[in-house]
Each structure stands twice: as structure tokens, then as C-alpha cells.
Amino acid sequence: MLRLNLQKEPYWLDLPTEVKLKVRPLSTAIMSAAQSSVIKQITDWRLMRKSRMEVGADVSDLPDEDDEETRHGLSEALLIKAMARGAVIEWQGVLNSAGDAPAVVNDQAVNDLMDIWFIAQDFWKKYTSSLSLLDAEGNVSGLVVNGTSAAGQDIAEPATTKPSRVAKAS
């Protein structure tokens, strides 16, 4: 069972190096848009790589999405960035490239922030933690089926069928 007590209002996430992000609650819309963005980006790279290879052009600036590790890493990084673009509405502790003023929250600045791997990993962990808790809450043990052997593997030795010495003596 799940309790429907999800956050409805934006809230703050504390990240490393005194960065704070005000985020929209994670929703199906944010996750679906992020996943769609990842699929589009990888598909675009795949098509661009293929068309360049057909004419013998250089593809060194494009990731090799046919490589499983590369594809996995790219997918994860792109998903985190897309989620952050959909979620972050305000921040503290993020300065512009000159370091003299707060950075404006826009897609490019959010992408740049999420290019810092430890910020991206902490954002992912904290932003999705409420859903991880819901998943864990929904995975509690259910009722055991009736019967002694239905609950698990029997590890006891079978009982002997011989009468005990005490029973024989009586």
C-alpha cells in the first residue's frame, strides 16, 4: 500500500558547496518530459553520427551511443539535467561565470550546474528520495500463504520414524 502524501508545493534541496535549489515536486510530468528529452537527444546523436559516417566525415565530437557504458552514462547524465531543468525554479549559492553576481536560472545555467558531477549525483539522490521511500513503503512483506512450507525453504532434516529408546522401554 502507498500513502498519498507527496509534496505539492516547491521545496528547497541543500546540495554540496552551499548550493540550495528550490524545486518543483517530482511528478509524472517532469519525469516523462525528462525521459522524452533523453530519448530525443540520443536519437539525434545516433542519426547525426550515422549520416556523418556514411559520407566519411569526422564523428569524434559525437558520443558512440552504440557502446553500452557510454550510452548508460549519457542517459543518466541527460536524465538528471532534464529533470533539473524541469524542476529548478530558484537557487542560492550559484554565481555567474564571472563570480560577481548570482547566476540567472535558465536551461543553460542548470545544465552547467549539473555538469558538476557531485552536484548532479546529490541532486538526483535528494530529488528522487521521496519516490524511493514510496517504493520501499510499497514493498513491505505481505501475508504468508497458509501452510508450514509455504513461507520459505525447509532446511530441517526429516524427522525419524523409529520410536525413541524411551518409548521402547515403556
Side-chain angles (χ1 to χ4, degrees):
M1 288 194 224
L2 294 175
R3 249 177 297 169
L4 293 176
N5 59 350
L6 298 173
Q7 295 211 350
K8 306 269 190 242
E9 300 297 323
Y11 58 96
W12 288 93
L13 293 177
D14 292 328
L15 301 180
T17 65
E18 299 179 24
V19 170
K20 293 184 177 196
L21 303 179
K22 189 172 190 179
V23 295
R24 293 177 182 88
L26 181 54
S27 65
T28 301
I30 289 174
M31 181 58 87
S32 295
Q35 290 171 331
S36 179
S37 173
V38 170
I39 291 167
K40 183 183 181 329
Q41 182 85 39
I42 289 177
T43 301
D44 289 350
W45 279 333
R46 179 173 281 138
L47 293 173
M48 191 179 307
R49 185 177 177 85
K50 182 180 176 187
S51 65
R52 283 192 197 175
M53 289 176 79
E54 286 173 353
V55 296
D58 182 31
V59 293
S60 62
D61 62 325
L62 296 173
D64 180 7
E65 71 288 332
D66 290 330
D67 177 69
E68 186 175 345
E69 289 84 14
T70 300
R71 188 175 56 255
H72 177 76
L74 281 172
S75 297
E76 184 176 305
L78 292 171
L79 183 62
I80 292 170
K81 286 180 179 185
M83 287 176 64
R85 286 192 308 269
V88 176
I89 52 178
E90 188 179 336
W91 55 30
Q92 296 173 357
V94 181
L95 301 176
N96 63 16
S97 59
D100 58 4
V104 176
V105 177
N106 60 37
D107 287 351
Q108 186 57 54
V110 171
N111 281 344
D112 291 346
L113 181 63
M114 293 300 136
D115 273 335
I116 302 169
W117 71 269
F118 60 89
I119 295 286
Q121 291 301 310
D122 204 47
F123 167 77
W124 173 264
K125 184 173 109 185
K126 290 180 177 177
Y127 189 55
T128 61
S129 68
S130 62
L131 294 181
S132 298
L133 293 173
L134 276 178
D135 186 39
E137 182 179 305
N139 286 330
V140 294
S141 297
L143 297 175
V144 175
V145 179
N146 288 337
T148 57
S149 64
Q153 181 180 2
D154 183 10
I155 58 170
E157 293 290 324
T160 180
T161 56
K162 296 186 216 173
S164 71
R165 288 185 211 155
V166 176
K168 284 182 183 179
S170 306

